[in-house]
Amino acid sequence: MSQKSKLIEGRTGPWEIVLGLEVHAQVASNAKLFSGAAVGFGAGPNEQVSLVDAAMPGMLPVINRHCVEQAVKTGLGLKAQINLKSHFDRKNYFYPDLPQGYQISQYKHPIVGEGEVIVEHDDGSTFTVRIERLHLEQDAAKLLHDEDPNATYVDLNRAGTALMEIVSMPDMRSSEEAAAYVKKLRTILVYLGTCDGDMEKGNLRADVNVSVRKPGAELGTHCEIKNVNSYRYIQAAIEYEARRQIEILEDGGKIDQETRLFDPGKGETRSTRSKEEAHDYRYFPDPDLLPLELDQAWIDEIRASLPELPDAKKARLQSQYGLTAYDAGVLITEQARADFYEEAVKGRDPKLTANWV
């Protein structure tokens, strides 16, 4: 849990922000979650679409083993429980970019259970964010509104792309902590090779759940800010949303649980719809997919193949080269930078080399 609450002063005294994040990470894979269609950035509209992705009648999904392996690998990297049996469910809602009219996801029985991520503050101290779950699901397609004044175009290239949704517990207490958590999570995923972490392309994006309360009080009603894809925007969205909620509460109003979007141009969040509850999605087990049953020996095999992860690499750089925690922390943020340092330091002064790198 976070120990560094950043209190916001309101007219009626200090308020505390409570934050939980749902991070959507695109699985590093050459094919989609339930079809053999290619995955890649830059293809022409609707060039990477199979009959399954387009939801043609009679088409059946077939699970991509590699995507399952990537989810397991990520779970192990997050020190999380791997569930030997999980289920795929249909999450039903209508949206023009969802060709099936439902999203194949995981609800009550995800592939990965509880884990944790240890995150560093700027001053070198750490806090722990508990992971509630990681589940696999399909991405939706993309709507293009600026091609024609009278029509919206649909590009199905992203439809069916494999996503890992990583859900945290509400353990963060400031916008800085939330950004640091996403940064650390991205570093772990890139080291594992399970997601490329490219936020500009939307391959890593966060839904941010924001609520406020008086210090020590019960949790307040949260609002969810959807699809925020940069550290700076995550912080700006949280700061604006927290102050918006505080003003409403101090004026005697109440917070409506809803979904909001962040407008980077205006630096503010705006309401898009009242927040759905799980029953609104009418979840039920996908009748076309058997339960996913994993073999413990296979999981142990994946565990044995894991690369050196950021925390372990940081500790080794400190002990092996006598670096400070700060220098080692800067070096391990990007895997390529850490690898470059280890090549460059051979036969040279470790501290001087770290400064140059």
Side-chain angles (χ1 to χ4, degrees):
M1 288 285 288
S2 164
Q3 301 300 316
K4 294 198 173 187
S5 291
K6 178 186 167 187
L7 299 179
I8 296 179
E9 279 300 326
R11 297 196 311 273
T12 61
W15 293 81
E16 181 179 53
I17 310 177
V18 179
L19 303 165
L21 271 68
E22 299 162 18
V23 174
H24 292 84
Q26 181 174 316
V27 177
S29 168
N30 292 327
K32 296 182 180 180
L33 185 54
F34 298 112
S35 84
V39 174
F41 192 78
N46 298 305
E47 287 184 354
Q48 297 177 332
V49 186
S50 76
L51 296 174
V52 175
D53 309 321
M56 290 295 158
M59 295 297 106
L60 295 175
V62 178
I63 188 74
N64 179 337
R65 179 189 173 96
H66 177 69
C67 292
V68 175
E69 183 177 343
Q70 294 284 63
V72 170
K73 191 180 286 188
T74 302
L76 294 171
L78 299 176
K79 306 185 189 75
Q81 170 69 37
I82 308 299
N83 296 322
L84 295 180
K85 189 169 184 177
S86 60
H87 295 262
F88 284 101
D89 301 281
R90 291 188 181 183
K91 181 181 182 181
N92 295 275
Y93 60 98
F94 171 76
Y95 209 65
D97 64 359
L98 197 68
Q100 293 158 311
Y102 58 83
Q103 177 189 39
I104 302 178
S105 183
Q106 294 186 305
Y107 178 40
K108 288 190 174 173
H109 303 283
I111 189 168
V112 175
E114 294 183 1
E116 65 177 31
V117 176
I118 297 168
V119 190
E120 295 76 28
H121 285 292
D122 288 340
D123 64 5
S125 63
T126 62
F127 63 99
T128 300
V129 177
R130 294 168 297 161
I131 301 298
E132 181 184 327
R133 57 188 280 148
L134 176 156
H135 62 260
L136 281 168
E137 65 183 23
Q138 299 169 302
D139 204 354
K142 182 180 179 184
L143 296 177
L144 304 167
H145 303 290
D146 54 0
E147 305 285 317
D148 186 304
N150 303 308
T152 291
Y153 290 92
V154 183
D155 179 3
L156 295 178
N157 280 351
R158 284 191 75 90
T161 299
L163 298 178
M164 296 178 287
E165 181 170 339
I166 303 165
V167 182
S168 86
M169 301 293 271
D171 287 351
M172 289 155 277
R173 295 292 179 269
S174 70
S175 60
E176 291 83 3
E177 286 191 348
Y181 162 70
V182 176
K183 201 173 287 187
K184 182 61 177 286
L185 192 58
R186 178 188 178 276
T187 301
I188 293 170
L189 296 173
V190 172
Y191 269 68
L192 288 166
T194 56
C195 173
D196 68 11
D198 194 327
M199 298 177 81
E200 282 186 26
K201 293 177 183 172
N203 295 354
L204 187 77
R205 53 193 194 267
D207 296 344
V208 186
N209 293 296
V210 183
S211 67
V212 297
R213 66 178 179 183
K214 288 291 187 180
E218 293 291 310
L219 290 176
T221 302
H222 72 266
C223 293
E224 181 181 35
I225 308 165
K226 297 287 285 186
N227 292 328
V228 193
N229 68 339
S230 85
Y231 306 129
R232 191 160 57 90
Y233 292 166
I234 287 170
Q235 289 191 238
I238 290 168
E239 296 286 342
Y240 175 87
E241 180 59 22
R243 292 186 182 281
R244 184 190 75 85
Q245 292 184 20
I246 290 168
E247 281 184 22
I248 291 172
L249 292 169
E250 291 192 324
D251 286 341
K254 70 180 185 68
I255 304 301
D256 294 320
Q257 187 171 322
E258 62 182 357
T259 299
R260 301 179 69 85
L261 286 179
F262 177 65
D263 184 334
K266 295 181 178 176
E268 61 186 35
T269 65
R270 64 173 188 270
S271 179
T272 57
R273 62 176 186 263
S274 61
K275 175 63 179 169
E276 292 88 350
E277 302 293 346
H279 62 256
D280 294 322
Y281 291 119
R282 304 186 313 283
Y283 280 99
F284 62 86
D286 193 300
D288 294 332
L289 289 160
L290 291 167
L292 190 61
E293 297 189 5
L294 306 181
D295 182 45
Q296 184 61 50
W298 186 55
I299 293 169
D300 293 340
E301 201 178 296
I302 296 171
R303 191 192 305 274
S305 73
L306 292 181
E308 184 181 38
L309 291 172
D311 289 345
K313 191 181 287 285
K314 180 180 177 181
R316 182 176 60 77
L317 291 180
Q318 287 178 257
S319 61
Q320 186 172 339
Y321 300 108
L323 298 178
T324 63
Y326 173 80
D327 284 348
V330 171
L331 289 172
I332 61 102
T333 306
E334 296 290 341
Q335 190 173 23
R337 185 191 298 156
D339 292 344
F340 181 82
Y341 173 78
E342 295 219 66
E343 281 298 312
V345 77
K346 291 173 181 173
R348 296 186 173 94
D349 177 80
K351 172 61 180 169
L352 193 61
T353 307
N355 288 348
W356 278 103
V357 172

